[in-house]
Amino acid sequence: MNVLRWLFDAQIQFGDQILLVREVLGNLFGLASALGGMRRKVWAWPIGIAGNLLLFTVFMGAFFGSPNPINMLGQAGRQIMFITVSVWGWYRWRQSCRAQGTRAEGAAVIPRWASRLERLSIISILILGTIALTPIFRSLGSYEPVWSDAWIFTGSLIATYGMARGWVEFWLIWVAVDIVGVPLLWSAGYYATSLMYVFYGCFTLVGFFVWWSTRNREEKTRVQTQFPDITVDVESSKS
């Protein structure tokens, strides 16, 4: 109980601003999860869930008695969404890992490009989801500009789902989320999370190119396996 009390009360002085230890720890867990995701490791999911639980208490500041009494319903709601989708992603990657055995150097999923229909669905859901959620979040008293909160929530849902499916494009969705999230969170006083979003934006670009490279390497291996090189070295055969 004392540990929980410390966790909820601990703060870090940052100039004339206050950072909650929960916010810092939640983002560090998120970073660790992102690193695991880039390496396609199953443990990325439970680590991410732990961070989501911490950040939920941060973004429901008024409810949990935080120094920053701003409720960001989109941010808080997406933590619940993260947990829900992450449980499914965790299960999916575990099943994939069992099915592959030692394939892909122990990685849980093999990256692939989303199909044309899937890409169209990504764009449509991102736009329509933002439009639909904006008035809902506004009526619940979320922080302005509410469309930004709705965009972040919708994009995060799609990106998490895309990670579970192994889409290479899911990294680019995170970039779109981060571009909107940085100014929104900074203006709301969530400085640690805002700065982490800047780092995440750079990190997700790296993750995109890593998965892209992995996808190309896996595709080359698959083609070579299906269509092996049967050419014969004439000089060697003569000898």
Side-chain angles (χ1 to χ4, degrees):
M1 184 63 68
N2 290 335
V3 174
L4 288 177
R5 173 56 59 187
W6 172 85
L7 185 61
F8 270 80
D9 294 341
Q11 302 174 3
I12 301 173
Q13 195 71 29
F14 183 71
D16 59 348
Q17 304 295 331
I18 293 176
L19 297 180
L20 295 175
V21 170
R22 282 176 286 144
E23 184 179 0
V24 176
L25 289 177
N27 281 290
L28 289 177
F29 274 108
L31 175 59
S33 178
L35 286 169
M38 186 170 67
R39 297 179 60 197
R40 297 172 290 144
K41 299 299 183 181
V42 176
W43 55 258
W45 295 104
I47 292 295
I49 290 173
N52 299 146
L53 289 171
L54 288 171
L55 290 175
F56 174 78
T57 68
V58 172
F59 292 121
M60 292 298 291
F63 182 82
F64 285 95
S66 299
N68 188 355
I70 295 176
N71 286 337
M72 300 191 71
L73 300 181
Q75 291 288 332
R78 82 175 189 140
Q79 306 308 318
I80 301 300
M81 175 273 296
F82 276 148
I83 293 171
T84 303
V85 179
S86 293
V87 170
W88 174 73
W90 188 0
Y91 170 79
R92 181 180 175 86
W93 278 28
R94 282 175 59 87
Q95 292 296 102
S96 176
C97 204
R98 291 195 187 101
Q100 294 178 45
T102 58
R103 189 181 177 189
E105 299 178 349
V109 67
I110 297 177
R112 69 175 180 87
W113 293 106
S115 67
R116 181 176 300 179
L117 178 60
E118 288 169 336
R119 290 178 181 177
L120 180 61
S121 298
I122 289 171
I123 297 173
S124 300
I125 294 173
L126 181 57
I127 295 174
L128 295 177
T130 301
I131 294 173
L133 289 175
T134 296
I136 296 175
F137 286 172
R138 179 172 286 117
S139 67
L140 293 173
S142 190
Y143 187 75
E144 294 285 352
V146 181
W147 73 265
S148 299
D149 218 7
W151 172 275
I152 293 171
F153 180 92
T154 307
S156 299
L157 172 61
I158 299 171
T160 307
Y161 177 79
M163 176 178 168
R165 294 294 302 273
W167 294 341
V168 177
E169 293 90 341
F170 95 88
W171 293 103
L172 296 180
I173 302 172
W174 279 128
V175 173
V177 168
D178 295 337
I179 290 174
V180 174
V182 170
L184 175 67
L185 292 168
W186 188 269
S187 66
Y190 293 105
Y191 303 110
T193 303
S194 178
L195 292 174
M196 284 300 298
Y197 266 42
V198 174
F199 179 80
Y200 283 152
C202 299
F203 180 84
T204 50
L205 283 175
V206 174
F208 170 72
F209 287 109
V210 169
W211 273 41
W212 186 357
S213 175
T214 301
R215 172 71 181 92
N216 291 339
R217 186 168 60 250
E218 289 291 336
E219 180 66 17
K220 182 178 180 180
T221 301
R222 184 184 67 82
V223 171
Q224 289 177 343
T225 302
Q226 292 181 347
F227 305 100
D229 186 0
I230 59 174
T231 58
V232 178
D233 188 332
V234 178
E235 293 298 328
S236 298
S237 62
K238 288 181 179 180
S239 59

